[in-house]
Short mmCIF file of all heavy atoms in Angstrom, two decimals:
data_model
loop_
_atom_site.label_atom_id
_atom_site.label_comp_id
_atom_site.label_asym_id
_atom_site.label_seq_id
_atom_site.Cartn_x
_atom_site.Cartn_y
_atom_site.Cartn_z
N LEU A 29 -28.63 10.00 23.46
CA LEU A 29 -29.55 11.09 23.77
C LEU A 29 -30.97 10.77 23.55
O LEU A 29 -31.83 11.26 24.23
CB LEU A 29 -29.11 12.35 22.82
CG LEU A 29 -27.90 13.10 23.23
CD1 LEU A 29 -27.61 14.25 22.20
CD2 LEU A 29 -27.88 13.64 24.70
N LEU A 30 -31.30 10.01 22.36
CA LEU A 30 -32.57 9.85 21.98
C LEU A 30 -33.23 8.69 22.85
O LEU A 30 -34.46 8.64 23.09
CB LEU A 30 -32.71 9.36 20.47
CG LEU A 30 -32.29 10.56 19.48
CD1 LEU A 30 -32.21 9.98 18.14
CD2 LEU A 30 -33.30 11.68 19.57
N LEU A 31 -32.53 7.67 23.20
CA LEU A 31 -33.04 6.50 23.94
C LEU A 31 -33.16 6.86 25.51
O LEU A 31 -32.26 7.64 26.01
CB LEU A 31 -32.05 5.33 23.85
CG LEU A 31 -32.11 4.61 22.36
CD1 LEU A 31 -31.07 3.48 22.47
CD2 LEU A 31 -33.49 4.09 22.18
N PRO A 32 -34.26 6.55 26.11
CA PRO A 32 -34.55 6.88 27.51
C PRO A 32 -33.49 6.01 28.35
O PRO A 32 -33.09 4.93 27.95
CB PRO A 32 -35.91 6.33 27.71
CG PRO A 32 -36.18 5.33 26.70
CD PRO A 32 -35.48 5.76 25.49
N THR A 33 -33.12 6.58 29.50
CA THR A 33 -32.30 5.93 30.45
C THR A 33 -33.13 4.70 30.97
O THR A 33 -34.19 4.82 31.43
CB THR A 33 -31.80 6.80 31.66
OG1 THR A 33 -31.27 7.90 31.01
CG2 THR A 33 -30.96 6.18 32.62
N SER A 34 -32.42 3.50 31.01
CA SER A 34 -33.01 2.31 31.53
C SER A 34 -33.22 2.31 32.93
O SER A 34 -32.12 2.62 33.68
CB SER A 34 -32.26 1.00 31.01
OG SER A 34 -32.97 -0.13 31.45
N ILE A 35 -34.43 2.15 33.54
CA ILE A 35 -34.55 2.17 34.95
C ILE A 35 -34.09 0.87 35.65
O ILE A 35 -34.00 -0.21 34.97
CB ILE A 35 -36.06 2.37 35.36
CG1 ILE A 35 -36.85 1.20 34.91
CG2 ILE A 35 -36.61 3.71 34.77
CD1 ILE A 35 -38.27 1.26 35.41
N THR A 36 -33.75 0.85 36.86
CA THR A 36 -33.25 -0.35 37.54
C THR A 36 -34.41 -1.35 37.77
O THR A 36 -35.48 -0.87 38.23
CB THR A 36 -32.62 0.14 39.03
OG1 THR A 36 -31.67 1.03 38.81
CG2 THR A 36 -32.29 -1.15 39.72
N SER A 37 -34.29 -2.54 37.41
CA SER A 37 -35.17 -3.54 37.44
C SER A 37 -34.69 -4.96 38.12
O SER A 37 -33.50 -5.06 37.97
CB SER A 37 -36.07 -3.83 36.06
OG SER A 37 -35.03 -4.19 35.17
N PHE A 38 -35.67 -5.65 38.49
CA PHE A 38 -35.14 -7.00 39.06
C PHE A 38 -35.43 -8.05 37.95
O PHE A 38 -36.44 -8.15 37.23
CB PHE A 38 -36.17 -7.29 40.18
CG PHE A 38 -35.89 -8.66 40.89
CD1 PHE A 38 -34.86 -8.95 41.57
CD2 PHE A 38 -36.99 -9.59 40.66
CE1 PHE A 38 -34.75 -10.25 42.14
CE2 PHE A 38 -36.73 -10.88 41.21
CZ PHE A 38 -35.64 -11.19 41.91
N ALA A 39 -34.46 -8.96 37.90
CA ALA A 39 -34.58 -10.08 36.91
C ALA A 39 -35.32 -11.19 37.58
O ALA A 39 -34.74 -11.90 38.52
CB ALA A 39 -33.28 -10.53 36.44
N SER A 40 -36.53 -11.44 37.27
CA SER A 40 -37.26 -12.58 37.91
C SER A 40 -36.94 -13.92 37.38
O SER A 40 -35.99 -14.06 36.37
CB SER A 40 -38.77 -12.40 37.50
OG SER A 40 -38.94 -12.77 36.08
N PRO A 41 -37.24 -15.00 38.16
CA PRO A 41 -36.84 -16.36 37.73
C PRO A 41 -37.28 -16.73 36.31
O PRO A 41 -36.61 -17.49 35.52
CB PRO A 41 -37.49 -17.24 38.74
CG PRO A 41 -37.78 -16.38 39.98
CD PRO A 41 -37.95 -15.04 39.37
N SER A 42 -38.25 -16.11 35.70
CA SER A 42 -38.66 -16.37 34.55
C SER A 42 -37.90 -15.61 33.38
O SER A 42 -37.88 -15.82 32.28
CB SER A 42 -40.17 -15.86 34.20
OG SER A 42 -40.21 -14.48 34.40
N GLY A 43 -36.99 -14.68 33.93
CA GLY A 43 -36.14 -13.98 33.02
C GLY A 43 -36.69 -12.56 32.68
O GLY A 43 -36.05 -11.74 31.95
N ALA A 44 -38.02 -12.40 33.10
CA ALA A 44 -38.56 -11.04 32.76
C ALA A 44 -38.20 -10.01 33.84
O ALA A 44 -37.73 -10.35 34.94
CB ALA A 44 -40.13 -11.31 32.90
N LYS A 45 -38.23 -8.62 33.33
CA LYS A 45 -37.87 -7.72 34.27
C LYS A 45 -39.09 -7.34 35.13
O LYS A 45 -40.27 -7.34 34.75
CB LYS A 45 -37.52 -6.32 33.49
CG LYS A 45 -36.29 -6.59 32.57
CD LYS A 45 -36.01 -5.36 31.70
CE LYS A 45 -34.79 -5.62 30.87
NZ LYS A 45 -34.49 -4.30 30.02
N VAL A 46 -38.85 -6.95 36.39
CA VAL A 46 -39.89 -6.54 37.27
C VAL A 46 -39.44 -5.37 38.07
O VAL A 46 -38.31 -5.21 38.78
CB VAL A 46 -40.21 -7.69 38.40
CG1 VAL A 46 -41.20 -7.21 39.33
CG2 VAL A 46 -40.60 -8.97 37.63
N LYS A 47 -40.28 -4.32 38.06
CA LYS A 47 -39.93 -3.02 38.86
C LYS A 47 -40.87 -2.90 39.98
O LYS A 47 -40.42 -2.45 41.09
CB LYS A 47 -40.15 -1.78 37.86
CG LYS A 47 -39.89 -0.47 38.55
CD LYS A 47 -38.49 -0.36 39.12
CE LYS A 47 -38.13 1.00 39.72
NZ LYS A 47 -36.61 1.19 40.18
N PHE A 48 -42.14 -3.41 39.91
CA PHE A 48 -43.12 -3.31 41.02
C PHE A 48 -43.48 -4.85 41.15
O PHE A 48 -43.70 -5.55 40.25
CB PHE A 48 -44.20 -2.42 40.76
CG PHE A 48 -43.86 -0.94 40.52
CD1 PHE A 48 -43.67 -0.49 39.25
CD2 PHE A 48 -43.76 -0.16 41.54
CE1 PHE A 48 -43.27 0.90 39.06
CE2 PHE A 48 -43.33 1.22 41.46
CZ PHE A 48 -43.02 1.68 40.20
N GLN A 49 -43.85 -5.16 42.50
CA GLN A 49 -44.46 -6.45 42.72
C GLN A 49 -45.18 -6.34 44.09
O GLN A 49 -44.96 -5.47 44.80
CB GLN A 49 -43.51 -7.57 42.88
CG GLN A 49 -42.51 -7.53 44.07
CD GLN A 49 -41.54 -8.75 44.29
OE1 GLN A 49 -41.03 -8.98 45.15
NE2 GLN A 49 -41.42 -9.47 43.15
#
Side-chain angles (χ1 to χ4, degrees):
L29 287 177
L30 293 173
L31 290 177
T33 304
S34 183
I35 63 171
T36 303
S37 60
F38 173 75
S40 72
S42 68
K45 297 177 182 179
V46 178
K47 180 63 178 178
F48 297 94
Q49 69 175 197

